[in-house]
Structures are given as C-alpha cells and as structure tokens.
Amino acid sequence: MIRLPSQWLCRQRSSFKKPNFSTSPILFTLKKNKMDCLTYQDMFEHNKAAFLAAVSAVKPANLIESSVQINGSILTVKGNDFQLKQPCHVIGFGKAVLEMALTMERKLGDYMKQCVISVPVGTKKAHSIPSNTKVEILEGAANNLPDKEAEENTRKILKIVEDLKEDDTLLVLISGGGSALLSLPVHPLTLEEKLQVIKQLANAGADILQLNCVRKSLSAVKGGQLAAAAQPATIISLILSDVIGDPVDFIASGPTAPNKDNPAAAWDIICKFQLQNSIPQSAEVCLRSNYSRANSNLKDKEVNNILIGNNLVAITAAMNKLISLNYSVCFLSPSIQGNVTRIAVFYSQLASRICRFLASSKCNLFEGLEEAYLLSIEARNEIEKTVCNSSHTRGICLIAGGETTVRVTGTGKGGRNQELALRFAEESKKISTGCEYANQFSISLLSAGTDGIDGPTNAAGAFGYAEQLDGNEDYIKYLEDSDTNTFYSKLNAGKNLILTGHTGTNVMDIHIVTICKK
Ligand SMILES: Nc1ncnc2c1ncn2[C@@H]1O[C@H](COP(=O)(O)OP(=O)(O)OP(=O)(O)O)[C@@H](O)[C@H]1O
Ligand SMILES: O=C(O)[C@H](O)CO
C-alpha cells in the first residue's frame, strides 16, 4: 500500500523551474527482465480497474464522511470547529454535489435547515434519491454550458444567501462544473452573449485558469460575489478540487473566494486569443469596467474555504490498484497540462525510450525528451527505479493527473481524453515504425476524466495504442474533424472507450501509460 507524501505537490512545483535534467544518469541497474506477456485487452482491463479505483476513492460520500463531524452543536470540518447557533443553510453547485449534499444531510440531521443544489441535467435519473430528503435538486447546464435553467437555479440560490443574518451558518458545497451551474451574467450582459465568449475561448484552447478569470469578470456571483451576498453569515465552503494546484479562487470560478486577479487580466486573455473583435460589445464593456470585481470586497478571513479532496487522492488509489495487480508503478505528476498533441508526444516518447532501455539498457531516458520539463527530479528518479525494478512484474505503469487543452478544429464529437488517446496512438506508431523493440513491447495510454464525461460525449475517455491505427488510416480525418468519439465508437465496436456515465465526482483526468512485453 503506498501513500503519496503530502509534500509531493510542493516538491513537484519547486523543482518545476529547474529544467536542467538532460544529463540525468541511470542510477539503478536493470536486472534481466522477466515481465509477463500481456495482450492489449489485458492491459485495458487492468488500466480500467485502476481508473475505477481512482474514481471510487474520490466519491463525495467518502470524502464528506471523513472530513465532517458533528458533535452537539459543534460542526468540525477537517479539524476546524464551528459553533452552530442555529440549523445550517446548505447550498451547492457542481457535478459532485448531489452526493455531498445527501451525505451532509445524513450527518447534520436536524442541524440542516434547508439545502438547495444546482447539478447537471440527468443527475436525478442517474442516482437513487431517498424519498424523504430535504435536499432540493435543481438541474441545468446541459453539456456543461450555462443555460436558462442554470441561470434560474442560480437566482434561487442567490435569494437564499441574500436573506441570511449574522447568526446563520451557510455551508457551500463546491465541485468542478460549478462555473456552468452557478451562472448569472453581470448586467447588461445576456446569457447568450456570455456563452458566446466562453465557447470562443474554450475552442481557441484557453485553459481553465484563463477561462475562469474571464468568467469571474462576466458574472454576478463568481469571484467572491456569492459569499459577499451571504454576509454577515458564517460561510464555510467544502471544496472538491478539479483544478491543478487546488486554487480555491479558480475552482468553479471561486464564488466564495476573494478575486485576486489582476484587474486587466481578463481583457488581456481575450486579446491573447485575438478575440477582441469577435466578442459582443457588452462583454467588452464588462471586461474592461471590472464591475464584477468592484462588487465584492471579500477578505480571506471572512470565509472558510476548506479543501476536502483532489486529483492526488484519486491517483494514489489507482497506483495501489496497479501495484495489487503486480505492476511496477511510478507517479509522474499531478499537474500535467498543456496542448493535447504535445502531451501525446511526451508520453509516447517517454514510453518508447523505456522500451529501448528495457531492450538494450543503452539510452539516457530523458535526454532530448520533448516536454521533459513536465518531470521533476523526483519523478525522473522514480521512473528509473520503476523501470529497473520491473522484472517479474506484469509491466510498467506511469501514472499522472491533470488536464490537457484542445483546439477544436472541426464539428465532430470528441473530448480532450479521447483526443489524447488517439494522438498517443498516432505518435507511438510514428516512433515505433522500424524500431527493433516495437515487436517486443506493447505501449498504451488510458486517458479518462474522473467525472465520466469527456467533452460533450457519453464516454469518460479512451485507451489508445499504435496498432489501433492499422487498417484505419482515416484516423487523421477524425482528428482533423475533432471527431475522436466517433473514431473510438466505431473501433472494435467501442471496446476501447471508457464508459462509466456520470460518476458523481470530478477531480480532473487520469493518465496511465503502460509498457508490457508482447
Ligand atoms: N469535439 C471535441 N474534441 C475535443 N475536445 C473537445 C471537443 N468539444 C469540446 N472539447 C473540449 O472539451 C472541453 C470541455 O469538456 P468538459 O465538459 O469535459 O470540461 P471539463 O473541463 O471537464 O469541465 P468541468 O471542469 O467544468 O467539469 C472544452 O474545453 C473543449 O476544448
Ligand atoms: O467549474 C469549473 O469552473 C471547472 O470545473 C473548474 O473548477
């Protein structure tokens, strides 16, 4: 059983800025390798089991159960005590808050006065909901985009918090997807205009920090404004992070966190993506005037933003599952981000170097590796150790978390995980063509979103490997059309898709690179 040291993230980050690794020596000796021979089907099954273990570890019920205790009128959240003067008001928004709310209701009992949550369309149908629950479940934001329903639901939630008094306690349940589910355009912007800006930015490849910085400037509730409206009540937010580094002011666009963005940042992002002439005039006015920011003077000490789970918890569970399946496992990074094609190149180059090393012991694993800055010194040492200790195992798994970005170039159906899997297959095929080790080792990538929904598709992600492309040369067209979901749905009758449906949780994506003997 492994536990990732809690300081891992910090060490990762501090060594992030020192990309001087090109002379990294192999510190460990490769023993004669007697890895098992596996089929792609075996690899897929094992990877999928690890992914499901990861999702299960971040189930909101488990996280709330271990983070929240109530003892008389004292509410304790992750070791912080709060005296309840009267029963709490609970609100929530995000893909994971239904389970959070139902567990909270069980915990609080009579100490919960009311609970209203905004969740994705289809959530009620996908869950069994106790008939006697007090939790009012409002659905909206089909396809993870704000709509009339989400706006209406946000108004209801805002009304609750605006009526709170000093003796009230407000519990705010927050998870990824909250930006679309708690959405109220700032005056005079309309929902359609706001949607247009967000879609344009997302399709241009903006990352979540850029998107949410702009969202805060276009919103009447994000960037601390919801908490400002709830004052003078005591505000306690329980946050499940789906953003790299867990910045509470960006998760769901930080409705209960002070907005610390530079006042010019949102407009700068619009300019960076050269959208200044194509966004609606009213959006430009909001972005330049920074009205939404002036609307909230929230201070850090006026709110209690408490993190209850993140991607690292999920990765740890996946690693433990793979170890129990007798793989030699290595943790690469909790913060993989960047363009999907570049990340595909990075994973396939790294995997092929490991194959070459296993075949001949003669190569420096990291020299000349593109995007090598993604690996900290610790990760490099771990990779070397893992490779050298892989004898008598089923194979090697490198595991990482994060979120890539995609430039959508066509009108097809896809998502960043399915695109990463297909681009990995493409890169691996290019690299392995003509290599003598290619017929000794199989390499694959599972990439899937822990929320179970990758982009606007019904898949969480996919499992990619070079041989998938044999006889399917038209895969290039699918990539050009941003149609990777259609590609994987047709391939092997959809057997390489990861299909879970909405998982009820959301802590970004999991990537598993696997290297096995053929
Ligand atoms: N056809 C497509 N092919 C590839 N990627 C796509 C396609 N359509 C949309 N996307 C990408 O999917 C992203 C949205 O996916 P998704 O709804 O899973 O977001 P998310 O980041 O998981 O949401 P949240 O964090 O709010 O839960 C967009 O940023 C867009 O780049
Ligand atoms: O809702 C959002 O803004 C994203 O999921 C990041 O938290």
Side-chain angles (χ1 to χ4, degrees):
M1 182 77 161
I2 56 151
R3 276 176 203 282
L4 290 176
S6 57
Q7 72 275 28
W8 224 106
L9 194 61
C10 311
R11 285 205 275 146
Q12 273 284 97
R13 277 175 155 184
S14 58
S15 40
F16 222 71
K17 296 192 191 79
K18 304 178 206 152
N20 181 24
F21 304 121
S22 58
T23 52
S24 164
I26 296 287
L27 302 171
F28 308 92
T29 333
L30 182 65
K31 301 182 195 98
K32 180 141 185 58
N33 205 289
K34 296 203 175 120
M35 283 194 310
D36 291 352
C37 298
L38 293 186
T39 63
Y40 282 111
Q41 185 59 30
D42 296 327
M43 292 158 75
F44 173 79
E45 295 300 339
H46 298 152
N47 276 209
K48 190 171 171 195
F51 174 69
L52 295 179
V55 170
S56 161
V58 284
K59 281 296 217 179
N62 300 336
L63 297 172
I64 293 277
E65 207 54 66
S66 59
S67 311
V68 179
Q69 287 81 39
I70 179 112
N71 193 353
S73 59
I74 304 286
L75 173 72
T76 307
V77 184
K78 286 243 153 186
N80 304 288
D81 289 341
F82 301 94
Q83 171 72 55
L84 300 179
K85 296 192 186 123
Q86 19 185 325
C88 323
H89 301 259
V90 184
I91 57 166
F93 34 85
K95 295 181 184 177
V97 301
L98 173 63
E99 213 176 290
M100 282 165 96
L102 293 173
T103 315
M104 200 52 117
E105 180 179 33
R106 280 200 301 277
K107 286 243 155 200
L108 291 177
D110 288 343
Y111 274 102
M112 186 168 102
K113 184 167 183 160
Q114 69 174 144
C115 177
V116 180
I117 56 172
S118 171
V119 293
V121 172
T123 305
K124 280 198 253 187
K125 217 165 118 200
H127 290 81
S128 65
I129 294 160
S131 56
N132 58 349
T133 182
K134 264 194 239 168
V135 179
E136 192 181 338
I137 305 163
L138 310 174
E139 294 191 338
N143 289 332
N144 204 15
L145 291 168
D147 52 16
K148 280 270 159 264
E149 286 71 27
E151 191 179 321
E152 197 45 45
N153 301 341
T154 304
R155 286 187 199 284
K156 275 197 180 177
I157 288 177
L158 190 58
K159 174 84 186 70
I160 293 173
V161 309
E162 279 172 345
D163 290 345
L164 297 179
K165 307 275 173 314
E166 194 163 356
D167 280 351
D168 285 318
T169 300
L170 176 70
L171 286 179
V172 189
L173 310 176
I174 302 182
S175 77
S179 288
L181 289 158
L182 190 83
S183 181
L184 190 59
V186 70
H187 183 77
L189 198 66
T190 65
L191 176 65
E192 289 67 31
E193 289 167 336
K194 184 175 174 199
L195 201 54
Q196 186 190 329
V197 179
I198 298 308
K199 270 191 187 163
Q200 280 180 278
L201 263 181
N203 288 348
D207 65 26
I208 193 67
L209 299 183
Q210 293 165 327
L211 270 178
N212 285 2
C213 173
V214 172
R215 278 169 163 158
K216 286 186 229 176
S217 290
L218 299 179
S219 169
V221 283
K222 298 178 165 78
Q225 295 176 85
L226 183 79
Q231 284 176 325
T234 300
I235 304 159
I236 310 164
S237 292
L238 279 68
I239 304 171
L240 180 56
S241 170
D242 71 330
V243 180
I244 286 170
D246 309 325
V248 292
D249 51 338
F250 280 88
I251 300 163
S253 305
T256 62
N259 184 352
K260 294 180 180 160
D261 299 345
N262 181 317
W267 184 248
D268 287 350
I269 290 165
I270 296 291
C271 297
K272 181 177 161 52
F273 288 95
Q274 296 174 351
L275 297 174
Q276 61 275 42
N277 296 324
S278 54
I279 60 165
Q281 175 80 51
S282 50
E284 178 172 349
V285 172
C286 298
L287 290 165
R288 284 180 180 276
S289 71
N290 258 299
Y291 166 79
S292 63
R293 194 191 170 84
N295 204 20
S296 151
N297 292 318
L298 193 71
K299 305 276 175 304
D300 278 319
K301 60 177 180 347
E302 294 167 348
V303 270
N304 302 279
N305 285 310
I306 304 175
L307 192 76
I308 60 161
N310 62 9
N311 183 269
L312 215 52
V313 175
I315 286 196
T316 308
M319 290 176 74
N320 282 322
K321 182 71 192 177
L322 289 165
I323 289 168
S324 76
L325 290 169
N326 194 28
Y327 281 89
S328 188
V329 182
C330 173
F331 173 48
L332 289 186
S333 164
S335 50
I336 294 292
Q337 56 192 319
N339 176 274
V340 72
T341 310
R342 287 168 40 201
I343 303 299
V345 170
F346 163 70
Y347 283 142
S348 51
Q349 283 189 0
L350 183 58
S352 79
R353 276 147 192 268
I354 292 175
C355 294
R356 211 161 35 150
F357 182 75
L358 288 170
S360 68
S361 300
K362 284 194 207 88
C363 83
N364 183 320
L365 283 175
F366 309 112
E367 200 173 323
L369 176 69
E370 284 176 53
E371 316 297 326
Y373 65 88
L374 290 165
L375 296 175
S376 65
I377 292 172
E378 287 90 346
R380 284 160 189 249
N381 285 338
E382 280 302 309
I383 294 170
E384 291 173 350
K385 205 166 23 164
T386 307
V387 172
C388 293
N389 289 338
S390 61
S391 185
H392 299 286
T393 66
R394 271 187 160 145
I396 296 167
C397 286
L398 312 174
I399 181 157
E403 210 167 75
T404 62
T405 46
V406 170
R407 260 195 97 238
V408 179
T409 50
T411 53
K413 246 172 90 176
R416 58 175 179 259
N417 288 289
Q418 290 158 90
E419 184 151 336
L420 181 61
L422 186 52
R423 290 197 183 273
F424 174 86
E426 179 184 44
E427 285 304 322
S428 303
K429 191 174 168 74
K430 278 191 210 155
I431 295 175
S432 64
T433 305
C435 279
E436 73 291 353
Y437 63 78
N439 44 24
Q440 292 182 48
F441 295 99
S442 307
I443 63 174
S444 65
L445 171 74
L446 175 144
S447 179
T450 52
D451 61 4
I453 303 295
D454 184 31
T457 75
N458 66 351
F463 179 75
Y465 55 92
E467 286 86 336
Q468 281 172 337
L469 309 184
D470 296 345
N472 290 312
E473 307 309 326
D474 60 347
Y475 76 86
I476 294 174
K477 200 173 164 323
Y478 288 95
L479 281 174
E480 282 168 1
D481 289 347
S482 305
D483 204 16
T484 50
N485 181 254
T486 310
F487 175 84
Y488 277 113
S489 301
K490 287 187 179 163
L491 184 81
N492 301 328
K495 285 207 185 82
N496 293 135
L497 282 171
I498 310 292
L499 295 169
T500 57
H502 284 286
T503 59
T505 190
N506 185 11
V507 293
M508 295 188 285
D509 304 335
I510 304 274
H511 303 154
I512 308 173
V513 177
T514 306
I515 298 136
C516 289
K517 253 193 180 157
K518 276 201 167 132

